[in-house]
Amino acid sequence: MSEIETATFAGGCFWCMVRPFDTLPGIKRVLSGYTGGTVTNPTYEQVKSQTTGHTEAVKIWFDPAVVSYQQLVELYWQQTDPTDAAGQFQDRGSNYRPVIFVNNRQQAEIAVASRAALQAREQFDQPIVTQIQVVQPFFVAEERHQQFYRKNPERFDQEEAGGRATFIARHWQEN
């Protein structure tokens, strides 16, 4: 039996980052939260104010015998605009910046190689700006933000319609 590992990704609104990973075989748990900042246990309002340095992110617990970290990174790229460092889609600001937070050297090597391969494909008109950083403390978001796509499907669909779904269809439908 393999040990459960974790992956942490920031790619804009955490509501929109949960579903693609949550429905993948081998995923044990996906939580929305905040990471990369200076305040312990920040609230949504604090993070949204862009005064704490945090970004909205998802932490994923996965079984590497079923789904690899490489597969998670590849799925991550397909949920984000890797050329936009100032936010994602309709969500603007540093709290929505795209970041892959790595737990160890192996994850860092996979993430760096994957980013280089994505850039080499010249799939985008702009350079890939997604950061790769060492994992930082992850603070679980308030309960109302967990599994948002299930709890609030209409609002979730509105968020997806803010540009993410169109971007994904345009840039990833053939991949």
Side-chain angles (χ1 to χ4, degrees):
M1 186 170 158
S2 59
E3 274 191 47
I4 301 302
E5 295 181 19
T6 62
T8 305
F9 301 121
C13 174
F14 50 27
W15 295 343
C16 298
M17 291 293 293
V18 172
R19 184 173 64 180
F21 295 100
D22 195 41
T23 57
L24 196 63
I27 300 302
K28 301 301 180 184
R29 186 175 194 191
V30 181
L31 287 177
S32 296
Y34 317 108
T35 192
T38 58
V39 174
T40 301
N41 293 316
T43 65
Y44 178 75
E45 288 72 24
Q46 287 174 308
V47 173
K48 189 175 179 178
S49 74
Q50 299 183 40
T51 59
T52 67
H54 290 88
T55 186
E56 291 188 14
V58 291
K59 186 169 184 176
I60 302 161
W61 285 259
F62 67 99
D63 182 346
V66 179
V67 61
S68 70
Y69 183 74
Q70 174 76 40
Q71 289 171 299
L72 295 180
V73 170
E74 294 303 321
L75 180 58
Y76 166 79
W77 293 125
Q78 297 177 37
Q79 308 313 309
T80 67
D81 176 352
T83 68
D84 188 354
Q88 293 289 282
F89 313 105
Q90 78 274 19
D91 298 312
R92 309 313 302 156
S94 62
N95 53 316
Y96 296 116
R97 68 191 180 274
V99 184
I100 297 174
F101 291 95
V102 295
N103 289 309
N104 53 47
R105 192 161 138 196
Q106 181 184 20
Q107 284 188 358
E109 289 171 357
I110 291 168
V112 168
S114 179
R115 181 176 62 189
L118 181 61
Q119 184 67 56
R121 286 201 305 257
E122 298 181 352
Q123 183 173 341
F124 299 96
D125 296 334
Q126 303 291 322
I128 305 303
V129 296
T130 300
Q131 298 175 0
I132 298 170
Q133 299 178 357
V134 173
V135 73
Q136 297 178 35
F138 182 88
F139 302 99
V140 176
E142 299 83 348
E143 180 57 35
R144 70 183 186 266
H145 298 297
Q146 305 304 327
Q147 298 294 309
F148 191 86
Y149 77 97
R150 291 178 193 213
K151 294 176 186 175
N152 300 288
E154 294 85 17
R155 174 75 191 277
F156 175 79
D157 288 344
Q158 289 174 353
E159 291 297 319
E160 284 283 282
R164 186 181 299 263
T166 302
F167 183 88
I168 290 169
R170 184 172 63 236
H171 290 281
W172 295 102
Q173 69 185 28
E174 295 179 13
N175 295 317

